[in-house]
Amino acid sequence: MREVKAFIREERIVEVVEGLRDAGFKSLTLSPAEGTGKFTGEKALPSLQFPVTHSKMTNLQIVCRKEDVEQIVRLIHKHGSRDEKGEGLIYISEVLQLFKVRTGKSSTQDI
């Protein structure tokens, strides 16, 4: 199993999620994120919460089968990119085990 974690501009997240859902990837986690990097856009504003950040992003996380990673990355790129600097990053990590909170048992069936 793999975890795909992507930091995507806030204004593009709806299109990304719709593209993933249309392709059958319905289980995902979204959370607000702020970051800083090499690129600072003209409209970037300093964060009121974190004085060193300037980019409001959304953190998208999906745990998936290894063979689905390439398709998910393509979909995030297709729906999240406008070929501009500072659009975000995608990370891939290996998931060693998955446990259900309800039962406490290891499971890979419902991914």
Side-chain angles (χ1 to χ4, degrees):
M1 290 182 295
R2 299 291 185 265
E3 177 189 29
V4 178
K5 182 184 288 187
F7 294 92
I8 302 163
R9 286 189 180 173
E10 283 185 327
E11 63 269 16
R12 307 241 171 68
I13 195 62
V14 171
E15 187 177 339
V16 170
V17 170
E18 287 174 350
L20 289 165
R21 285 185 172 168
D22 289 347
F25 301 106
K26 299 181 189 310
S27 296
L28 52 91
T29 300
L30 299 174
S31 55
E34 293 188 35
T36 186
K38 289 190 280 186
F39 176 75
T40 303
E42 291 177 19
K43 297 179 185 177
L45 298 172
S47 168
L48 297 175
Q49 186 172 3
F50 303 104
V52 297
T53 62
H54 62 263
S55 296
K56 292 193 181 279
M57 306 292 277
T58 300
N59 178 1
L60 178 147
Q61 295 171 277
I62 302 175
V63 175
C64 64
R65 298 175 305 158
K66 181 180 178 180
E67 55 268 22
D68 291 331
V69 169
E70 284 187 43
Q71 182 182 8
I72 290 169
V73 170
R74 279 195 309 270
L75 287 164
I76 292 170
H77 170 70
K78 176 182 176 183
H79 296 287
S81 175
R82 297 297 177 270
D83 197 28
E84 300 171 1
K85 290 184 178 184
E87 290 184 318
L89 298 168
I90 302 170
Y91 300 88
I92 311 300
S93 302
E94 185 174 5
V95 175
L96 300 176
Q97 288 185 290
L98 176 83
F99 293 88
K100 292 190 174 224
V101 171
R102 181 177 56 87
T103 63
K105 294 183 180 179
S106 181
S107 175
T108 59
Q109 297 173 357
D110 299 326
I111 296 178

